[in-house]
Amino acid sequence: MRFTFPNGEHPGIELTRGSLSIGSGEEDTVRLDAAGLKPSHARIELQPERRLCALHLAPGALAYVNARPI
């Protein structure tokens, strides 16, 4: 799974297994200063052996996948 940032906010990241966090906090794997982005806004976990990709959102956080709200 590859995460790309079309406006150059962050270099692209390849996630083959494990997890990463996206948010505005210092501890986030992908740290972005964007309006409405919370610290630890989202955590993505990938377990390819179980064919599992899980998205965990912070309370009140919004997310879009392929331009669609989830």
Side-chain angles (χ1 to χ4, degrees):
M1 178 180 292
R2 181 157 182 80
F3 295 91
T4 58
F5 301 86
N7 297 320
E9 304 91 341
H10 195 278
I13 295 177
E14 187 75 31
L15 179 62
T16 56
R17 82 171 339 127
S19 67
L20 65 84
S21 63
I22 299 172
S24 60
E26 292 290 328
E27 69 284 353
D28 290 312
T29 310
V30 176
R31 186 177 185 281
L32 301 171
D33 291 318
L37 202 59
K38 302 173 178 287
S40 300
H41 191 92
R43 175 164 297 281
I44 298 160
E45 297 179 30
L46 182 62
Q47 298 176 10
E49 67 280 356
R50 293 179 54 203
R51 297 183 184 162
L52 174 69
C53 179
L55 174 64
H56 305 277
L57 296 175
L62 300 175
Y64 293 81
V65 174
N66 296 332
R68 294 189 174 140
I70 58 169

